[in-house]
Amino acid sequence: ILVFTWRDLAHAKAGGAEIYTNNVVREWARTGHDVTLFCASVEGRPATQDDGGVHIIRRGTRFSVYREAKRFYLSEGRGNFDLVIDEGNTRPFLAPKWVDDAKVIALIFQVCRELWSYQMPYPMSFIGRHWLEPKWLHTYQDVPTVTISESSKDSLEEYGLKRVVIVPIGH
């Protein structure tokens, strides 16, 4: 199993999504699965690390981790994974466009909509909310997608995703 996520628990801004992902991947590893977590680099942390049975690969920055994930998969990952989890936390990795040898499942906690105006200056916030996010999420229209709440499921379906299931936190 390969999980693409933009940050891991070592990141200074790690939060609920990272705790959720960490708990899930550690449980998978504990039950015998071979799990790799690919995320952005963290200053002072190694580029590769084994932690709790999970192999962690850190490359790129907040913005370049998406490009680095694709490079990693195409040069080192292809043929080595049965399942790829594409975690969308603001921006998804768009793995369904370039992973063609393994099953891809999206893990999306929420859509951004209003968050764009808090995270980015205008006009980027406008472009993100009204063009980028809808374009990115369209990629997942027919991809099995996991989310954590009914409201997130409703939002994802408003963007046209058809295969959304809820796995509440703690289940």
PDB file of all heavy atoms in Angstrom, residues 26 34-36 46 48-58:
ATOM      1  N   ARG A  26      -0.432   2.759  10.409  1.00  0.00           N
ATOM      2  CA  ARG A  26       0.209   1.934  11.450  1.00  0.00           C
ATOM      3  C   ARG A  26      -0.604   0.673  11.725  1.00  0.00           C
ATOM      4  O   ARG A  26      -0.040  -0.397  11.948  1.00  0.00           O
ATOM      5  CB  ARG A  26       0.399   2.734  12.733  1.00  0.00           C
ATOM      6  CG  ARG A  26       1.581   3.671  12.670  1.00  0.00           C
ATOM      7  CD  ARG A  26       1.679   4.489  13.955  1.00  0.00           C
ATOM      8  NE  ARG A  26       2.799   5.381  13.915  1.00  0.00           N
ATOM      9  CZ  ARG A  26       3.949   5.163  14.539  1.00  0.00           C
ATOM     10  NH1 ARG A  26       4.126   4.083  15.261  1.00  0.00           N
ATOM     11  NH2 ARG A  26       4.928   6.040  14.450  1.00  0.00           N
ATOM     12  N   ASP A  34       2.428  -4.223   3.893  1.00  0.00           N
ATOM     13  CA  ASP A  34       3.631  -3.455   3.578  1.00  0.00           C
ATOM     14  C   ASP A  34       3.158  -2.056   3.187  1.00  0.00           C
ATOM     15  O   ASP A  34       2.506  -1.895   2.149  1.00  0.00           O
ATOM     16  CB  ASP A  34       4.378  -4.130   2.431  1.00  0.00           C
ATOM     17  CG  ASP A  34       5.667  -3.436   2.066  1.00  0.00           C
ATOM     18  OD1 ASP A  34       6.117  -2.539   2.811  1.00  0.00           O
ATOM     19  OD2 ASP A  34       6.230  -3.782   1.005  1.00  0.00           O
ATOM     20  N   VAL A  35       3.444  -1.046   4.018  1.00  0.00           N
ATOM     21  CA  VAL A  35       2.902   0.299   3.829  1.00  0.00           C
ATOM     22  C   VAL A  35       4.023   1.314   3.653  1.00  0.00           C
ATOM     23  O   VAL A  35       4.971   1.355   4.437  1.00  0.00           O
ATOM     24  CB  VAL A  35       2.020   0.720   5.028  1.00  0.00           C
ATOM     25  CG1 VAL A  35       1.415   2.093   4.791  1.00  0.00           C
ATOM     26  CG2 VAL A  35       0.929  -0.311   5.301  1.00  0.00           C
ATOM     27  N   THR A  36       3.878   2.142   2.629  1.00  0.00           N
ATOM     28  CA  THR A  36       4.789   3.258   2.385  1.00  0.00           C
ATOM     29  C   THR A  36       3.988   4.545   2.403  1.00  0.00           C
ATOM     30  O   THR A  36       2.925   4.629   1.778  1.00  0.00           O
ATOM     31  CB  THR A  36       5.497   3.101   1.021  1.00  0.00           C
ATOM     32  OG1 THR A  36       6.266   1.898   1.028  1.00  0.00           O
ATOM     33  CG2 THR A  36       6.404   4.291   0.727  1.00  0.00           C
ATOM     34  N   PRO A  46      14.955  12.662   8.333  1.00  0.00           N
ATOM     35  CA  PRO A  46      15.579  11.964   7.206  1.00  0.00           C
ATOM     36  C   PRO A  46      14.656  11.857   5.992  1.00  0.00           C
ATOM     37  O   PRO A  46      13.433  11.889   6.129  1.00  0.00           O
ATOM     38  CB  PRO A  46      15.878  10.572   7.782  1.00  0.00           C
ATOM     39  CG  PRO A  46      14.948  10.417   8.927  1.00  0.00           C
ATOM     40  CD  PRO A  46      14.695  11.797   9.465  1.00  0.00           C
ATOM     41  N   THR A  48      14.288   9.232   4.204  1.00  0.00           N
ATOM     42  CA  THR A  48      13.582   7.956   4.345  1.00  0.00           C
ATOM     43  C   THR A  48      13.684   7.514   5.793  1.00  0.00           C
ATOM     44  O   THR A  48      14.687   7.776   6.465  1.00  0.00           O
ATOM     45  CB  THR A  48      14.144   6.853   3.425  1.00  0.00           C
ATOM     46  OG1 THR A  48      15.503   6.618   3.761  1.00  0.00           O
ATOM     47  CG2 THR A  48      14.019   7.235   1.965  1.00  0.00           C
ATOM     48  N   GLN A  49      12.637   6.866   6.248  1.00  0.00           N
ATOM     49  CA  GLN A  49      12.594   6.455   7.642  1.00  0.00           C
ATOM     50  C   GLN A  49      11.574   5.329   7.784  1.00  0.00           C
ATOM     51  O   GLN A  49      10.542   5.327   7.121  1.00  0.00           O
ATOM     52  CB  GLN A  49      12.159   7.653   8.485  1.00  0.00           C
ATOM     53  CG  GLN A  49      11.967   7.384   9.945  1.00  0.00           C
ATOM     54  CD  GLN A  49      11.507   8.638  10.708  1.00  0.00           C
ATOM     55  OE1 GLN A  49      11.369   9.722  10.146  1.00  0.00           O
ATOM     56  NE2 GLN A  49      11.268   8.468  11.989  1.00  0.00           N
ATOM     57  N   ASP A  50      11.877   4.373   8.640  1.00  0.00           N
ATOM     58  CA  ASP A  50      10.905   3.353   9.008  1.00  0.00           C
ATOM     59  C   ASP A  50      10.415   3.697  10.401  1.00  0.00           C
ATOM     60  O   ASP A  50      11.197   3.875  11.327  1.00  0.00           O
ATOM     61  CB  ASP A  50      11.531   1.959   8.963  1.00  0.00           C
ATOM     62  CG  ASP A  50      11.799   1.525   7.525  1.00  0.00           C
ATOM     63  OD1 ASP A  50      10.908   1.725   6.680  1.00  0.00           O
ATOM     64  OD2 ASP A  50      12.890   1.005   7.252  1.00  0.00           O
ATOM     65  N   ASP A  51       9.097   3.817  10.529  1.00  0.00           N
ATOM     66  CA  ASP A  51       8.511   4.251  11.796  1.00  0.00           C
ATOM     67  C   ASP A  51       7.232   3.457  12.055  1.00  0.00           C
ATOM     68  O   ASP A  51       6.268   3.567  11.299  1.00  0.00           O
ATOM     69  CB  ASP A  51       8.204   5.749  11.733  1.00  0.00           C
ATOM     70  CG  ASP A  51       7.695   6.308  13.045  1.00  0.00           C
ATOM     71  OD1 ASP A  51       7.898   5.674  14.098  1.00  0.00           O
ATOM     72  OD2 ASP A  51       7.081   7.382  13.010  1.00  0.00           O
ATOM     73  N   GLY A  52       7.234   2.658  13.088  1.00  0.00           N
ATOM     74  CA  GLY A  52       6.048   1.895  13.435  1.00  0.00           C
ATOM     75  C   GLY A  52       5.628   0.912  12.365  1.00  0.00           C
ATOM     76  O   GLY A  52       4.445   0.654  12.196  1.00  0.00           O
ATOM     77  N   GLY A  53       6.590   0.384  11.618  1.00  0.00           N
ATOM     78  CA  GLY A  53       6.285  -0.556  10.551  1.00  0.00           C
ATOM     79  C   GLY A  53       5.930   0.100   9.233  1.00  0.00           C
ATOM     80  O   GLY A  53       5.641  -0.579   8.250  1.00  0.00           O
ATOM     81  N   VAL A  54       5.939   1.419   9.191  1.00  0.00           N
ATOM     82  CA  VAL A  54       5.603   2.171   7.984  1.00  0.00           C
ATOM     83  C   VAL A  54       6.883   2.765   7.404  1.00  0.00           C
ATOM     84  O   VAL A  54       7.654   3.402   8.128  1.00  0.00           O
ATOM     85  CB  VAL A  54       4.584   3.292   8.291  1.00  0.00           C
ATOM     86  CG1 VAL A  54       4.296   4.120   7.051  1.00  0.00           C
ATOM     87  CG2 VAL A  54       3.305   2.705   8.875  1.00  0.00           C
ATOM     88  N   HIS A  55       7.100   2.552   6.107  1.00  0.00           N
ATOM     89  CA  HIS A  55       8.243   3.145   5.422  1.00  0.00           C
ATOM     90  C   HIS A  55       7.831   4.543   4.967  1.00  0.00           C
ATOM     91  O   HIS A  55       6.857   4.707   4.236  1.00  0.00           O
ATOM     92  CB  HIS A  55       8.658   2.286   4.227  1.00  0.00           C
ATOM     93  CG  HIS A  55       9.842   2.804   3.502  1.00  0.00           C
ATOM     94  ND1 HIS A  55      11.088   2.915   4.086  1.00  0.00           N
ATOM     95  CD2 HIS A  55       9.977   3.265   2.244  1.00  0.00           C
ATOM     96  CE1 HIS A  55      11.936   3.410   3.213  1.00  0.00           C
ATOM     97  NE2 HIS A  55      11.284   3.636   2.083  1.00  0.00           N
ATOM     98  N   ILE A  56       8.553   5.569   5.418  1.00  0.00           N
ATOM     99  CA  ILE A  56       8.236   6.959   5.081  1.00  0.00           C
ATOM    100  C   ILE A  56       9.279   7.478   4.099  1.00  0.00           C
ATOM    101  O   ILE A  56      10.481   7.329   4.321  1.00  0.00           O
ATOM    102  CB  ILE A  56       8.208   7.841   6.341  1.00  0.00           C
ATOM    103  CG1 ILE A  56       7.157   7.324   7.326  1.00  0.00           C
ATOM    104  CG2 ILE A  56       7.934   9.303   5.969  1.00  0.00           C
ATOM    105  CD1 ILE A  56       7.192   8.002   8.684  1.00  0.00           C
ATOM    106  N   ILE A  57       8.802   8.091   3.038  1.00  0.00           N
ATOM    107  CA  ILE A  57       9.657   8.744   2.054  1.00  0.00           C
ATOM    108  C   ILE A  57       9.261  10.212   2.034  1.00  0.00           C
ATOM    109  O   ILE A  57       8.091  10.540   1.840  1.00  0.00           O
ATOM    110  CB  ILE A  57       9.486   8.129   0.649  1.00  0.00           C
ATOM    111  CG1 ILE A  57       9.844   6.643   0.671  1.00  0.00           C
ATOM    112  CG2 ILE A  57      10.323   8.895  -0.375  1.00  0.00           C
ATOM    113  CD1 ILE A  57       9.513   5.913  -0.616  1.00  0.00           C
ATOM    114  N   ARG A  58      10.244  11.095   2.252  1.00  0.00           N
ATOM    115  CA  ARG A  58       9.982  12.541   2.274  1.00  0.00           C
ATOM    116  C   ARG A  58      10.757  13.213   1.144  1.00  0.00           C
ATOM    117  O   ARG A  58      11.978  13.176   1.113  1.00  0.00           O
ATOM    118  CB  ARG A  58      10.407  13.139   3.611  1.00  0.00           C
ATOM    119  CG  ARG A  58       9.637  12.616   4.801  1.00  0.00           C
ATOM    120  CD  ARG A  58      10.077  13.317   6.091  1.00  0.00           C
ATOM    121  NE  ARG A  58       9.404  12.778   7.248  1.00  0.00           N
ATOM    122  CZ  ARG A  58       9.940  11.903   8.105  1.00  0.00           C
ATOM    123  NH1 ARG A  58      11.190  11.488   7.930  1.00  0.00           N
ATOM    124  NH2 ARG A  58       9.246  11.461   9.130  1.00  0.00           N
TER     125      ARG A  58
END
